[in-house]
Amino acid sequence: MIVSPTGTGKTLAGFLPSFLDISDKDSKGKLHTIYISPLKSLAKDIKRSIEEPIVECGLNISLDIRTGDTTTYIKRKIMKKPPNFLVTTPESLALMMSYENSKEYFSDLKYIIIDELHNLINSKRGDLLSLNLARLKQFSCELCTIGMSATIKNKRMFLSYLSNDNNAIAISSDIKKFPRIRILPTKKRIPWSGHMANYAVNEIYKKITSHKNTIIFV
């Protein structure tokens, strides 16, 4: 399990064992690593982050996304010819596990990486994923599970979700990030009723365009 603040390189750290382990022999039409995120909206960002070292290092590794937004054509393609690295969600993995040839499909799997672990562990989605993890470990006895999160306090509880092996370890970053919280001032009068932020759209847009990267939580 990797515990480190957002923006410190957890994703790349999670994939590093896969990069070091995969060989030309493993990369020929075999599913080697699955990355699971509870947020399908992050799938494309993750794909871009992992494609960069693949291209820069000239690695012969194929990478695909399989979520609810993926077209039927791509889903069939992925099932017919597995990518080496697959980015998906708990629900999409559950659907793939339900297919008749799932045992054969996942038999060569070496690593499964679970991001945003704190969003899954105490939910029905986490229960579903836990069942599928147990089944995957029956398909592939060498399967290694890696969990990642920025906000974990009870590390032992999260480790027990990932594995019942006493040798499971938690790696924590020493990097500290301190938030700077500000309230956005607006020139227009805030309405007494309603929940729309239309009155502040211009100020919000100006703030967004003044930065390189912005994440908006709605």
Side-chain angles (χ1 to χ4, degrees), residues 19 44 46-56 63:
F19 283 128
K44 290 183 179 179
I46 298 302
K47 187 173 185 286
R48 279 196 296 267
S49 298
I50 300 307
E51 277 179 334
E52 191 173 341
I54 290 175
V55 173
E56 287 182 355
L63 173 65

Side-chain angles (χ1 to χ4, degrees), residues 93 97 124-138 161:
L93 175 65
M97 294 283 287
K124 289 182 179 179
R125 299 178 78 197
D127 294 341
L128 173 67
L129 180 58
S130 181
L131 291 171
N132 281 313
L133 286 176
R135 190 159 177 248
L136 278 173
K137 288 173 183 176
Q138 290 183 330
Y161 175 87

Side-chain angles (χ1 to χ4, degrees), residues 136-178:
L136 278 173
K137 288 173 183 176
Q138 290 183 330
F139 295 166
S140 176
C141 58
E142 296 181 1
L143 183 62
C144 176
T145 309
I146 300 173
M148 301 189 296
S149 178
T151 56
I152 285 181
K153 291 183 179 179
N154 189 342
K155 296 175 184 177
R156 179 48 53 186
M157 181 180 73
F158 282 81
L159 277 176
S160 65
Y161 175 87
L162 295 172
S163 173
N164 59 3
D165 188 346
N166 292 328
N167 293 322
I169 60 170
I171 302 170
S172 300
S173 168
D174 293 330
I175 300 171
K176 302 292 182 184
K177 285 199 169 187
F178 300 98

Side-chain angles (χ1 to χ4, degrees), residues 105-120:
Y105 189 85
F106 293 105
S107 61
D108 294 307
L109 189 64
K110 299 286 183 66
Y111 290 92
I112 185 158
I113 305 165
I114 307 168
D115 204 355
E116 305 292 340
L117 194 58
H118 58 277
N119 277 336
L120 289 169

Side-chain angles (χ1 to χ4, degrees), residues 42-104:
L42 293 179
K44 290 183 179 179
D45 289 333
I46 298 302
K47 187 173 185 286
R48 279 196 296 267
S49 298
I50 300 307
E51 277 179 334
E52 191 173 341
I54 290 175
V55 173
E56 287 182 355
C57 297
L59 302 173
N60 184 27
I61 296 174
S62 56
L63 173 65
D64 260 316
I65 297 175
R66 209 281 192 190
T67 69
D69 295 335
T70 305
T71 64
T72 303
Y73 170 75
I74 297 296
K75 288 177 182 177
R76 288 175 180 169
K77 180 184 173 184
I78 288 172
M79 290 307 298
K80 188 174 181 180
K81 186 179 180 182
N84 303 136
F85 293 172
L86 178 65
V87 177
T88 188
T89 61
E91 290 77 15
S92 290
L93 175 65
L95 283 172
M96 295 175 73
M97 294 283 287
S98 71
Y99 295 154
E100 193 173 345
N101 67 332
S102 60
K103 185 174 182 179
E104 180 183 353

